[in-house]
Every structure is written in C-alpha cells, then in structure tokens.
Amino acid sequence: AQTVTQSQPEMSVQEAETVTLSCTYDTSESDYYLFWYKQPPSRQMILVIRQEAYKQQNATENRFSVNFQKAAKSFSLKISDSQLGDAAMYFCAYGGSEKLVFGKGTKLTVNP
Amino acid sequence: SAVISQKPSRDICQRGTSLTIQCQVDSQVTMMFWYRQQPGQSLTLIATANQGSEATYESGFVIDKFPISRPNLTFSTLTVSNMSPEDSSIYLCSDEGAEGAFYGYTFGSGTRLTVV
C-alpha cells in the first residue's frame, strides 16, 4: 500500500521569506499524481499544486513550486514570499490507481 | 473544477442520534468520496460512492454505522448513525472531478460534528 510521510508537524516562516515543506512517499506504481493541499481554519481543502509522475519538470503555481525527485520519492513544496494568508495546515497527497492517500500534515505559521 | 456544497457546516448532536450530511456537486461526477478528519489529524477515507451501486467501505468503517446514498451523479449523503463522542470529527466529501484525477480532487467545505 502507498504511504505518505510528512516529517515536519509544524513549521514557521517570517512574512516575505521562503519556506520548504517536506514530503516523501512510498509506492511501487510508475504512474501516479502528487498533490499539495492547503487547509486553513475554515476547514476547506484547497488544491495548491499538482504534479504528474511522468513529468520531470517541477510544477509551479505563482509563489508555490515543488521539487519532485521521483527516484528519491520526494515531493517538497516551496512557498516564496510568504504571506499571512498562507498560514494553514498543508497536506501532501498521493493519487494512484487506488484511493487518495494523505500525509499527516504540516502546520505552517507565518509571522508578521 | 467542480464546486461542492456541503451541509450542515457544523452540528452538535446528542449521543445515540444520527446526522445526515449532504453534498451537492455543480456538475456530474462519477465518483464521490467521504472522509473523516479527527481533531488534529489527517484525512481518512470512509468510503467511495459511485452512482447506481453500493458504496465501497474502507477497513474499519461499516455500512450500518455510515450509510451512504448516491441517488444521482450530482448528490450524495453520509449518515453518521448511533453517534458517540468518538464520532466527533470533521467530515468531508470530495469528488475526483469531471476532468479526471490529475486535475485534483475538489472538496466540500466540511461538517464539524460534535457529539455530546
């Protein structure tokens, strides 16, 4: 079965600085998707960024980018120019042939 | 991407009672999913609901406790039955999205359930 590990329960960053959230996963599948979701206190799960495994190019969405290392099974999220609105729980998720599998999440605090 | 309306957004219920949570999608979707998120925890899949067939439950979840309906391609309900304080959680529905799994799963806004 696939597993997703987020080793940082909590992270903090100063406003306007850059922070990287870590995620590793384990799978025997060759074709899959990886996602980062943001969950603010409102509880809404918001898709931040997605990556398809066969694409070597790292995905980028405005201030959010990933470092996808397929061989290492690593999928980290970099947030540049952090804003107060970025404060939330961030979940890494794996989507393959079966169900979506989530990591335990990283709570990001943004300090003004 | 689809928009999912979930209600109620929160409820406080007496133990032993049942609560039905509804999710309405603004487009037709094949698969819908129900998750439980216990306090401070990640999301755990309860079941997958396809229109016209019985829901498929994950290990540790049973139909008698969490009956699911999927009457059409835009609607689903999850009932939490015979509730106990251990059922206090956030419950979320999601869909795979009409464009396919790669484009991400859309989630409802969640139902915060407190059982007293």
Side-chain angles (χ1 to χ4, degrees):
Chain A
Q2 292 79 22
T3 59
V4 177
T5 302
Q6 293 179 250
S7 59
Q8 306 153 316
E10 297 188 25
M11 292 282 285
S12 63
V13 63
Q14 291 296 125
E15 196 175 4
E17 297 293 310
T18 296
V19 64
T20 298
L21 308 183
S22 300
C23 174
T24 59
Y25 59 94
D26 189 27
T27 184
S28 58
E29 298 180 318
S30 58
D31 192 18
Y32 51 87
Y33 317 119
L34 296 163
F35 307 95
W36 278 97
Y37 280 91
K38 169 185 177 181
Q39 187 181 40
S42 67
R43 305 187 303 273
Q44 181 77 52
M45 291 288 284
I46 302 166
L47 179 64
V48 174
I49 198 165
R50 54 185 169 235
Q51 175 86 38
E52 192 161 12
Y54 80 86
K55 291 186 177 180
Q56 294 185 343
Q57 186 174 4
N58 291 323
T60 299
E61 290 286 344
N62 300 314
R63 297 182 296 108
F64 299 87
S65 61
V66 299
N67 183 3
F68 173 49
Q69 301 290 327
K70 189 172 183 179
K73 295 180 182 173
S74 172
F75 183 61
S76 61
L77 174 69
K78 185 172 81 172
I79 306 174
S80 304
D81 186 25
S82 297
Q83 301 175 0
L84 295 177
D86 294 333
M89 284 292 292
Y90 285 81
F91 293 96
C92 178
Y94 172 99
S97 60
E98 298 179 3
K99 61 186 178 181
L100 197 60
V101 179
F102 288 90
K104 292 186 179 297
T106 297
K107 181 179 181 181
L108 178 65
T109 301
V110 181
N111 301 309
Chain B
S1 60
V3 174
I4 302 179
S5 299
Q6 181 172 347
K7 60 182 182 182
S9 60
R10 61 178 63 224
D11 208 340
I12 301 173
C13 300
Q14 296 292 321
R15 68 176 66 201
T17 63
S18 298
L19 175 72
T20 295
I21 303 167
Q22 300 179 4
C23 279
Q24 178 76 51
V25 190
D26 67 350
S27 60
Q28 294 185 338
V29 295
T30 303
M31 298 170 69
M32 292 188 70
F33 308 88
W34 287 97
Y35 292 87
R36 181 176 72 183
Q37 186 178 23
Q38 294 177 303
Q41 302 297 313
S42 187
L43 281 70
T44 300
L45 181 65
I46 297 172
T48 301
N50 288 332
Q51 192 267 335
S53 63
E54 292 283 337
T56 302
Y57 288 83
E58 297 297 308
S59 176
F61 297 96
V62 295
I63 187 171
D64 289 347
K65 176 67 176 178
F66 298 101
I68 288 171
S69 77
R70 185 81 203 276
N72 56 54
L73 291 173
T74 64
F75 188 78
S76 181
T77 68
L78 170 76
T79 299
V80 186
S81 303
N82 188 25
M83 289 184 285
S84 67
E86 291 71 34
D87 294 319
S88 297
S89 292
I90 295 170
Y91 292 85
L92 298 110
C93 63
S94 80
D95 78 81
E96 185 178 86
E99 299 157 320
F102 172 63
Y103 292 93
Y105 295 71
T106 302
F107 286 81
S109 54
T111 297
R112 183 183 295 276
L113 170 63
T114 302
V115 184
V116 297

